[in-house]
Every structure is written in C-alpha cells, then in structure tokens.
C-alpha cells in the first residue's frame, strides 16, 4: 500500500503512523503533518463549488443557493469559509434573479428596454441560464 499524498504540502513521502477509527494514519516526512486516507464519501463536482461561490458573491443567500444548485447550504457556508470568500456589503442594492432557457434568454435580450440601465449578470446553470439583476432599494 503506497501512502497518499500529504493534504498539507502534497508530498508523496510519508510513513505509516498507526490506525485511527479503522483507518490507516500517515505522517508526512516532508512537513510532519499527520493525516488519514481520504474518506469514502460523496465528492461534489468543482463546477458546483464555483457556481455556489459566484452566487454568494452576487448576493444570493445560502438557502437560495441550496434551492438553485441542490447542494446543502451548510456545504456552501463551509466553502465560503474554506476559500475565504467575502461578499461585499450591500445596502442600496439587492439581487433578483430569473432562470431561463436559451430561447427565453434570447427573447429577453431582443427587447432593449430589458437591459437599459440594469446591472445584469448571466451565468450558466446546468442546461439553463441564470440572470441576476440588481435593483436599488427604494428610499422611503
């Protein structure tokens, strides 16, 4: 059995260092970090991680991201922490979004009134497109 690469420094040099919870533990010869073999579980495609982080930066809430992508809001929170993503404070604007297929998106852009004066982003979302638009909060 060859040791997996170190998750901290990516070095392939490691020695066995006991067993914890039935899993082989290793110690990296390069940095001294202790780690176990990769857990068996569901790994999320990086496409969804990137989309979730993009949506978070655009101001979409964790729960909305969960509904849109089908990924747990807790996973999204963990990715935000892991990658140190900070969303800008938004007080004057809030995002609204629509999910459109290609035909609907083309029809939307054919009308110049739909895009005039709008802060607008379009991103791919599986086989559809998500259009995010910012609207200014009305000052009462």
């Amino acid at each position: 059995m060859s040791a997996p690469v170190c998750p901290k420094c990516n070095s392939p040099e490691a020695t066995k260092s006991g067993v914890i919870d039935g899993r082989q533990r290793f110690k990296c010869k390069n940095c001294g970090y202790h780690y176990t073999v990769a857990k068996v579980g569901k790994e999320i495609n990086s496409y969804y991680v990137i989309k979730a982080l993009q949506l978070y930066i655009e101001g979409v809430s964790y729960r909305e991201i969960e509904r849109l992508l089908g990924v747990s809001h807790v996973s999204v929170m963990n990715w935000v922490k892991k990658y140190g993503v900070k969303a800008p404070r938004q007080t004057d604007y809030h995002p609204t979004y629509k999910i459109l297929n290609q035909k609907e998106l083309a029809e939307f852009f054919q009308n110049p009134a739909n895009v005039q004066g709008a802060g607008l982003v379009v991103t791919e979302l599986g086989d559809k497109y998500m259009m995010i638009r910012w609207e200014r909060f009305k000052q009462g």
Side-chain angles (χ1 to χ4, degrees):
M1 170 183 198
S2 66
V5 297
C6 174
K8 194 169 186 182
C9 70
N10 289 326
S11 170
E13 303 286 325
T15 58
K16 289 184 177 182
S17 182
V19 175
I20 293 180
D21 294 328
R23 296 190 307 181
Q24 180 65 57
R25 185 175 188 218
F26 295 95
K27 181 178 181 182
C28 178
K29 288 182 180 178
N30 187 39
C31 69
Y33 184 70
H34 283 89
Y35 60 98
T36 59
V37 292
K39 69 178 183 176
V40 177
K42 187 170 106 179
E43 187 170 320
I44 306 235
N45 187 323
S46 62
Y47 170 84
Y48 291 103
V49 176
I50 293 166
K51 283 296 172 192
L53 294 175
Q54 285 174 338
L55 294 173
Y56 174 75
I57 288 171
E58 297 301 335
V60 180
S61 73
Y62 292 130
R63 298 271 181 176
E64 274 305 300
I65 295 170
E66 177 179 44
R67 286 188 274 280
L68 291 167
L69 299 180
V71 175
S72 165
H73 67 278
V74 176
S75 292
V76 177
M77 284 189 275
N78 290 335
W79 297 333
V80 167
K81 271 193 237 171
K82 178 179 180 180
Y83 296 108
V85 174
K86 299 243 187 256
R89 287 298 275 156
Q90 298 177 7
T91 54
D92 294 337
Y93 295 92
H94 72 282
T96 57
Y97 65 88
K98 288 183 181 179
I99 307 293
L100 307 168
N101 63 30
Q102 184 183 4
K103 183 180 176 203
E104 293 167 332
L105 187 65
E107 289 170 1
F108 180 85
F109 281 115
Q110 285 178 349
N111 183 352
N114 286 338
V115 292
Q116 220 166 19
L120 194 66
V121 169
V122 176
T123 185
E124 180 187 16
L125 196 60
D127 62 342
K128 300 205 186 252
Y129 298 91
M130 177 182 214
M131 183 179 62
I132 304 171
R133 169 181 239 153
W134 289 269
E135 296 178 11
R136 189 178 275 279
F137 282 122
K138 292 187 172 65
Q139 301 292 327

